Amino acid sequence: MRTVETFPYQVLDTENIFIPMRDGARLAARMWRPRTDEPMPAVLEYIPYRKRDLTRARDALNHPYLAGHGYVSVRVDLRGSGDSDGVLTDEYLPVEHDDACDVIEWLAAQPWCDGNVGMMGISWGGFNSLQVAARRPPALKAIVSASATEDLYVDNMHYMGGCLLSDNLSEATVMFAFNSLPPDPAIVGDRWREMWQERLAGSGLWIERWLEHQHRDDYWKRASVNEDYRAVQCPVLAVGGWADGYTNAIFRLLEHLEVPRRGLIGPWGHKYPHLGVPGPAIGFLQELVRWWDHWLKGHDTGVMDEPMLRAWMQDSVSPQPSYADRPGRWVGEPGWPSPNLSPRRFALTRYALTEDAVRPEDERPLDLQSPLSVGMFAGKWASYAATPDLPADQREEDGGSLVFETEPLPETCEVLGIPTLDLTVSADRPNAMVAARLSDVAPNGEATRVTYGLLNLTHRDGSAAPEPLEPGREYRVRVPLNGLAHSFPPGHRIRLSISSSYWPLAWPSPEPAMLTITTGQSALTLPHRQPRDEDRQLRDFGPPEAGPEAPSTLLQPGRHHWKVERDLASGVSTLEIENDQGTFRLDDTGTVVRRATTEWFSFRGNDPASVWGETRTVRRIEREEWRTEVATHTILRCTPDEFIVDAELDAYELDDPAADPRTAEKRVYSESWHRRIPRDLV
């Protein structure tokens, strides 16, 4: 990534300003402004991840760059986070959207703003950019939504296909740690302890709330933009990556929004594209400037003359849990659904995928009951590129699955979009699940997973009102797989693998279930795309650029690992994920930050009631005169009838700056939780 030191405008950096809300609360913001007397448009990023310290490094790359190109770039802490007033009690609440509208109105009214405001963000900031756009604040003229979804139940880290994701625990752990941190006394003054105690006591245990809403009910619908796409009336740039978990939403937004819109999908995980891993990263900040220049300044930058969708067509690679880069090429589609795609149907026969006509003898029942070990090498629901969190060689998973594959392909087969799997299936239990994986199998046998899908069969007709299965009864169900862009080379095979569990990516069904899949009546449909000459004419994105890095000093290196361990004596298998980001000092504020999270996902034998997830976090923020630490511990277990949550929160303060922090810490808050939540067809 190229660091840009000189911009068209000099940049003024305001460390903190407080923006007033309608109820008298104040939100803390950091602002970068171009040095000019001319009013400029403003761009807002609005997230709960602490502008003063924990996103300081990323903010330094992004916001000064936009300010240097003529935008007032503003990074605001949500109410109850960072240095803002209040307590944060959940994601995407009405007060969050009200506050955002107040911030936008305030920005538009300032003398240094020309009245035009854009909103951008990744993950939480991508979600609320869409949600606030649906509120239609008058000054909001365009948004950029990266790694986000417009459906909080269907494509989020909580549930997938009606199955509970282990990332539900992971995300709850992230917010448990963030919400427990204090504001900075250098910003809020002497009331920081009072604010901290309010947050510790008031934020709550979010995983409990998320587990209480196991179906697509009003809790998830209230902030899901797909309930009314027409509510969004400003232009939208939707961005994602194939290694991320949120890419499917881009296809739906392009299809259903009725405003000017563009989609961009690269090979990346959960990262902005100029920081994208796997690479290649692109000059995304340059693209943002083009987008904002067009919609906030009225300059014709050509952004709307380009294809509606730009996507990275990934080439075949050997399976690895991490990649520095994914080879491929950019392709473009003029609209979505694209007229350049055609369905390619492969019938499932006895362990084969075929495009030939199905014969009567091809229709036969195949039974399947997978071991719980299928999924231990699946990687994360969304790759964060912090550890080797991509799927490994699928041969390690396929022994517990039904496997169907083509003959070696005579020519290249390129796929772009959402594959679907139509099954005739029955189960011997009232609750069962299907996990389907699509792999690229090389001539040497290596199998690289290119996409997958999950379906809780009780959610076969939707997740609003699921119904138990009638044991032994056949059902016709459709399993949508995650979107992809992949080029299968000649001589390779396309493999479909089906399992009845996929732990720990998804929580297993309450009890072991035997599935029976009828071949001949079941089929995989791929959105086939012929290579097009126009792809070679696409404009190059250019190399990634960013503002100067925030100065920092590494004090203690971090550790990252992803380990699978099986104890043959006890029968317990465990996936351990350590994401220790070490200890570093933010040199411009003198703040020392320590961040570490460890996750464990385990099971015993093939008992679904034995699975459990466990997380521990440590967050320390300190300066010479101010030392704080927060530790969290969460365990999620189950029985066939209940989810069981045990959690602990401990907060510490070191009063005497001269004391040894290893012995002089004082615990200032402690709370524990024990909750039992009934399972409801999950």
Side-chain angles (χ1 to χ4, degrees):
M1 183 173 61
R2 186 171 76 91
T3 296
V4 179
E5 302 282 350
T6 303
F7 300 111
Y9 292 89
Q10 291 183 337
V11 177
L12 303 173
D13 180 359
T14 302
E15 177 68 25
N16 189 78
I17 56 173
F18 285 110
I19 301 175
M21 300 293 101
R22 66 187 69 178
D23 64 354
R26 300 186 306 168
L27 301 192
R30 189 176 179 190
M31 181 170 63
W32 295 261
R33 285 174 48 201
R35 185 186 292 273
T36 176
D37 293 331
E38 180 184 358
M40 293 290 181
V43 175
L44 168 66
E45 185 176 21
Y46 174 63
I47 53 178
Y49 301 129
R50 301 180 61 89
K51 65 175 177 60
R52 175 73 170 165
D53 39 55
L54 298 186
T55 67
R56 194 176 190 88
R58 190 180 75 186
D59 293 344
L61 300 177
N62 298 349
H63 292 283
Y65 189 98
L66 295 177
H69 286 84
Y71 293 91
V72 180
S73 202
V74 185
R75 167 65 180 84
V76 175
D77 285 337
L78 261 64
R79 182 187 295 247
S81 71
D83 300 315
S84 293
D85 291 347
V87 177
L88 186 61
T89 60
D90 203 353
E91 302 172 313
Y92 321 126
L93 294 172
V95 67
E96 176 182 335
H97 303 144
D98 290 342
D99 287 350
C101 293
D102 288 353
V103 170
I104 290 168
E105 181 180 1
W106 184 87
L107 291 172
Q110 300 311 301
W112 33 256
C113 181
D114 67 2
N116 296 301
V117 180
M119 192 169 177
M120 60 173 274
I122 184 170
S123 196
W124 193 308
F127 279 67
N128 63 27
S129 291
L130 284 166
Q131 294 157 2
V132 173
R135 293 284 296 269
R136 305 184 199 174
L140 184 63
K141 299 302 194 297
I143 67 167
V144 176
S145 174
S147 296
T149 182
E150 89 298 20
D151 191 322
L152 297 187
Y153 183 87
V154 167
D155 268 316
N156 202 346
M157 59 176 55
H158 306 297
Y159 298 90
M160 179 181 180
C163 301
L164 174 66
L165 295 168
S166 63
D167 267 42
N168 187 69
L169 171 60
S170 300
E171 173 66 3
T173 296
V174 168
M175 298 315 301
F176 200 15
F178 269 99
N179 295 342
S180 303
L181 291 170
D184 193 320
I187 300 298
V188 304
D190 293 340
R191 65 191 188 106
W192 74 271
R193 284 190 182 91
E194 177 186 350
M195 294 174 66
W196 190 19
Q197 287 291 325
E198 288 176 354
R199 293 179 185 183
L200 291 167
S203 183
L205 192 67
W206 291 17
I207 190 172
E208 178 183 10
R209 189 173 301 113
W210 296 343
L211 287 173
E212 288 173 340
H213 296 275
Q214 297 168 29
H215 303 162
R216 193 179 185 279
D217 57 15
D218 289 342
Y219 174 81
W220 304 106
K221 293 177 183 179
R222 61 178 167 76
S224 290
V225 171
N226 69 329
E227 290 294 301
D228 182 9
Y229 286 104
R230 292 174 297 177
V232 177
Q233 293 291 304
C234 69
V236 175
L237 173 59
V239 182
W242 297 125
D244 197 9
Y246 292 108
T247 312
N248 298 332
I250 297 174
F251 296 112
R252 296 193 299 269
L253 288 167
L254 295 182
E255 179 176 0
H256 296 294
L257 288 177
E258 298 177 0
V259 296
R261 59 208 182 274
R262 289 294 180 266
L264 172 64
I265 308 174
W268 321 295
H270 203 69
K271 300 280 187 181
Y272 274 125
H274 57 301
L275 307 172
V277 179
I282 65 167
F284 182 62
L285 293 181
Q286 298 97 296
E287 294 303 306
L288 287 185
V289 171
R290 293 180 71 233
W291 179 258
W292 299 130
D293 280 355
H294 189 96
W295 293 112
L296 301 186
K297 292 185 177 179
H299 300 165
D300 185 4
T301 62
V303 294
M304 299 309 293
D305 299 330
E306 298 178 355
M308 179 180 286
L309 174 66
R310 291 281 299 269
W312 185 252
M313 179 64 69
Q314 300 191 126
D315 290 340
S316 181
V317 291
S318 294
Q320 300 292 338
S322 64
Y323 301 93
D325 291 285
R326 283 295 305 262
R329 72 185 198 282
W330 288 105
V331 300
E333 294 297 339
W336 198 266
S338 172
N340 300 314
L341 303 179
S342 57
R344 192 166 176 181
R345 186 178 185 276
F346 295 84
L348 278 60
T349 61
R350 194 171 187 272
Y351 311 123
L353 292 174
T354 179
E355 294 182 279
D356 296 337
V358 174
R359 302 165 299 176
E361 58 267 31
D362 292 327
E363 295 191 12
R364 63 177 67 200
L366 296 178
D367 293 337
L368 168 67
Q369 184 171 299
S370 301
L372 281 176
S373 58
V374 176
M376 291 299 280
F377 301 95
K380 271 282 194 184
W381 174 81
S383 172
Y384 293 87
T387 55
D389 55 5
L390 295 172
D393 193 325
Q394 295 299 285
R395 288 178 292 185
E396 300 190 64
E397 309 276 42
D398 284 343
S401 310
L402 287 179
V403 175
F404 307 86
E405 67 180 27
T406 65
E407 293 296 319
L409 297 171
E411 59 186 9
T412 297
C413 174
E414 292 194 348
V415 178
L416 172 61
I418 306 287
T420 56
L421 175 62
D422 292 292
L423 293 176
T424 297
V425 60
S426 65
D428 66 348
R429 294 290 185 271
N431 197 330
M433 68 173 286
V434 170
R437 293 173 279 119
L438 197 65
S439 298
D440 179 341
V441 182
N444 66 0
E446 291 181 336
T448 302
R449 195 192 78 189
V450 296
T451 189
Y452 72 99
L454 304 175
L455 179 63
N456 177 342
L457 290 173
T458 69
H459 292 235
R460 61 196 176 274
D461 296 321
S463 293
E467 295 182 352
L469 298 165
E470 180 183 329
R473 176 185 170 186
E474 282 194 337
Y475 295 91
R476 289 288 294 169
V477 303
R478 171 162 289 184
V479 185
L481 278 61
N482 288 330
L484 79 161
H486 186 81
S487 180
F488 294 89
H492 286 223
R493 299 172 185 258
I494 300 173
R495 175 180 294 173
L496 172 69
S497 306
I498 302 175
S499 59
S500 60
S501 63
Y502 208 35
W503 171 255
L505 192 144
W507 215 267
S509 302
E511 54 184 340
M514 179 72 73
L515 299 181
T516 301
I517 294 173
T518 302
T519 62
Q521 299 178 17
S522 301
L524 170 71
T525 302
L526 301 180
H528 182 242
R529 182 188 192 273
Q530 292 286 0
R532 303 171 61 224
D533 291 338
E534 293 94 323
D535 295 334
R536 291 194 291 268
Q537 309 303 319
L538 292 172
R539 181 184 57 83
D540 182 39
F541 283 116
E545 294 181 351
E549 294 184 1
S552 64
T553 301
L554 181 64
L555 303 178
Q556 179 182 342
R559 296 184 304 174
H560 303 280
H561 69 236
W562 186 289
K563 295 180 180 178
V564 176
E565 177 182 87
R566 175 168 293 171
D567 186 330
L568 296 180
S570 66
V572 173
S573 298
T574 300
L575 169 64
E576 179 181 286
I577 305 168
E578 183 175 25
N579 182 11
D580 184 339
Q581 300 183 26
T583 304
F584 56 92
R585 182 177 64 243
L586 300 168
D587 294 339
D588 52 356
T589 66
T591 305
V592 174
V593 178
R594 166 103 173 95
R595 295 180 66 179
T597 300
T598 307
E599 301 175 274
W600 298 268
F601 299 97
S602 303
F603 68 92
R604 180 181 291 106
N606 285 311
D607 179 8
S610 73
V611 303
W612 75 92
E614 181 176 0
T615 65
R616 288 186 181 271
T617 73
V618 175
R619 300 288 187 271
R620 174 179 280 266
I621 301 179
E622 59 182 324
R623 287 191 296 274
E624 278 191 21
E625 73 285 359
W626 173 60
R627 294 179 179 176
T628 62
E629 183 174 300
V630 173
T632 73
H633 181 204
T634 308
I635 298 174
L636 176 60
R637 299 175 288 127
C638 70
T639 70
D641 302 315
E642 292 180 310
F643 291 111
I644 304 168
V645 181
D646 290 282
E648 298 172 344
L649 167 64
D650 291 287
Y652 302 89
E653 181 188 350
L654 184 63
D655 284 332
D656 181 2
D660 183 345
R662 293 170 297 180
T663 59
E665 284 182 336
K666 180 178 70 174
R667 186 163 64 178
V668 297
Y669 189 86
S670 183
E671 187 172 359
S672 61
W673 293 261
H674 176 74
R675 300 288 188 268
R676 306 181 79 96
I677 301 155
R679 298 179 72 157
D680 189 1
L681 297 179
V682 168

